[in-house]
Amino acid sequence: MKKIAMLTGGGDCPGLNAVIRGVARKALVEGCEVFGFRNGWAGVLKGDYFPLTRERVSGILHLGGTILGTSRTNPTDEQLDTLVKHLKSMDLTALVAIGGDDTLSVASRLHKRGVPVIGVPKTIDNDIDGTDQTFGYDTAINIATEAIDRLHSTAESHSRVLVVELMGRQAGWIALGAGMAGGADMILLPEFPMSLAEICKIIKQRQAGGKNFSIVAVAEGFKLGGVEIMATKELDAFGHVRLGGIGEVLCREIEKTTGIESRGVVLGHIQRGGTPSAFDRVLGTRYGVKAVDLALKGEFGKMVALRGTEIVGIDIDSILTEVIDTKTGKPKLRVRNRCVPQELYDVAKVFFG
Ligand code: F6P
């Protein structure tokens, strides 16, 4: 009997359960046995998995998080041997790795070692190259848009500047999407530097034009004066710093420079929690079903991707780039980040001020 196993790795994300259900239901219909590893690569290392029956994946489509659990476990080269050993001993038809750039990079290392893997691109950050959209992003910007809508009335009542800090690591997709949908008066992204003087000038001009308040949407990776603000200097298992704090820094600087009372709001993990949007449920379901299609055709080493309105399979290798590992100082291959393009930022800029 064919066997499909799956895991979810990295930060959780709305729509993960839709993918899990999509993979499981399609695989079960095709007569496969289906298994889920607990807590990402940590579960594969321990051989910790359980059967995903039709019953087990029932009633999960609308739930946030992941019924499999997740972790940011980054296998070392020696641990990779253990992963390969465990996966080969299970005689899997395919392993579906649902995760962001880190999880997909591990999937590609495993594929090179002969493990039949298929990747599914997950992240609220929407920053994975090769796909027009990751699942989770739509939910995140809907949550953030609602927050910006709510900030308008309090900003206006108090004649304040409200700076809302949004997630996204080194990509500004969430700030861009929520900022545009929520009608923010300025959107600050890592991809497009802006000086404090320019930011304050726009706020002052807006005030001079009769608007007593401003909403600034800032991505956590925005660098003020070229400086990245970190919540902690500690690196996670994949060598990422934990970003956070730019909203508060910016808010203090804006108040000092413009004399307008300002407040900072950090949306944080609220952007990632809770029920997925209808769009993410549909996208996740389509990704899950396509992943099984690819697995049953033997098209391994591929990632499902949205291209226009189609779901396609692309080679994970085609989106890898060489970077220096911040932990070891050695070169390694990882999935390329997809940044906000100039043309989209130019549209957003029309509404600054
Ligand atoms: O990659 C998703 C993400 O939510 C980023 O936007 C954010 O910087 C990071 O994860 C937060 O990570 P953690 O859940 O470890 O705090």
Side-chain angles (χ1 to χ4, degrees):
M1 196 182 220
K2 293 196 163 154
K3 288 186 197 163
I4 307 263
M6 65 187 115
L7 62 88
T8 54
D12 74 331
C13 172
L16 278 167
N17 288 323
V19 182
I20 293 167
R21 173 178 173 271
V23 172
R25 289 286 296 270
K26 173 68 175 166
L28 289 167
V29 163
E30 298 292 342
C32 307
E33 271 185 294
V34 188
F35 301 95
F37 284 103
R38 290 190 181 87
N39 304 324
W41 300 116
V44 188
L45 275 172
K46 288 190 203 146
D48 184 7
Y49 62 90
F50 60 102
L52 285 172
T53 58
R54 165 112 192 220
E55 213 21 66
R56 189 63 195 86
V57 297
S58 171
I60 65 169
L61 178 60
H62 64 291
L63 300 179
T66 159
I67 62 159
L68 299 179
T70 187
S71 70
R72 293 202 196 272
T73 305
N74 181 11
T76 60
D77 285 338
E78 296 80 67
Q79 287 176 329
L80 211 68
D81 293 338
T82 313
L83 292 185
V84 172
K85 201 171 88 202
H86 284 177
L87 292 166
K88 289 205 167 155
S89 73
M90 286 174 76
D91 194 24
L92 291 178
T93 306
L95 171 71
V96 179
I98 311 162
D101 45 3
D102 297 322
T103 306
L104 295 170
S105 304
V106 177
S108 130
R109 283 160 71 202
L110 284 173
H111 175 62
K112 290 189 176 73
R113 305 276 294 266
V115 176
V117 293
I118 307 286
V120 179
K122 164 242 66 158
T123 172
I124 60 164
D125 301 342
N126 200 32
D127 62 351
I128 297 179
D129 201 23
T131 181
D132 291 350
Q133 195 157 325
T134 56
F135 70 89
Y137 173 64
D138 182 71
T139 308
I141 62 169
N142 275 299
I143 295 166
T145 299
E146 198 204 321
I148 293 175
D149 284 348
R150 286 177 184 278
L151 291 175
H152 270 86
S153 59
T154 174
E156 189 164 13
S157 303
H158 287 265
S159 303
R160 283 173 175 161
V161 174
L162 271 170
V163 181
V164 54
E165 178 184 304
L166 299 155
M167 281 185 164
R169 290 222 158 108
Q170 275 78 19
W173 288 101
I174 300 177
L176 178 95
M180 283 177 76
D185 306 304
M186 203 179 316
I187 302 173
L188 302 172
L189 311 180
E191 294 90 340
F192 302 97
M194 204 190 263
S195 69
L196 181 66
E198 286 173 282
I199 296 166
C200 292
K201 190 172 159 206
I202 293 172
I203 292 171
K204 287 298 274 180
Q205 275 170 352
R206 190 174 144 80
Q207 193 190 41
K211 290 289 187 186
N212 69 334
F213 73 96
S214 289
I215 307 281
V216 178
V218 62
E220 63 180 0
F222 177 74
K223 298 181 190 74
L224 191 62
V227 181
E228 192 168 57
I229 309 292
M230 291 168 240
T232 152
K233 287 211 164 86
E234 266 169 48
L235 302 178
D236 72 11
F238 282 91
H240 301 293
V241 294
R242 185 139 70 82
L243 295 170
I246 180 66
E248 205 45 53
V249 169
L250 194 60
C251 158
R252 278 201 307 272
E253 295 300 322
I254 290 174
E255 184 168 294
K256 231 192 298 171
T257 312
T258 63
I260 306 172
E261 191 180 21
S262 305
R263 293 284 189 273
V265 176
V266 183
L267 219 51
H269 291 79
I270 291 170
Q271 289 157 100
R272 255 172 44 189
T275 191
S277 66
F279 181 91
D280 281 335
R281 294 182 205 187
V282 174
L283 184 61
T285 300
R286 294 180 74 198
Y287 275 166
V289 170
K290 183 71 180 187
V292 176
D293 277 340
L294 293 175
L296 296 182
K297 282 192 202 137
E299 294 191 29
F300 303 120
K302 299 235 170 186
M303 177 186 90
V304 296
L306 179 69
R307 292 281 174 91
T309 57
E310 302 286 300
I311 307 288
V312 298
I314 63 162
D315 286 328
I316 300 180
D317 273 359
S318 71
I319 54 165
L320 294 180
T321 185
E322 196 175 277
V323 296
I324 299 298
D325 189 315
T326 41
K327 284 204 144 168
T328 62
K330 291 188 188 146
K332 66 169 184 185
L333 287 174
R334 59 164 297 148
V335 169
R336 247 191 322 269
N337 268 25
R338 194 171 69 97
C339 295
V340 173
Q342 182 75 50
E343 75 222 43
L344 253 183
Y345 181 66
D346 286 345
V347 175
K349 255 172 74 181
V350 171
F351 303 91
F352 285 14

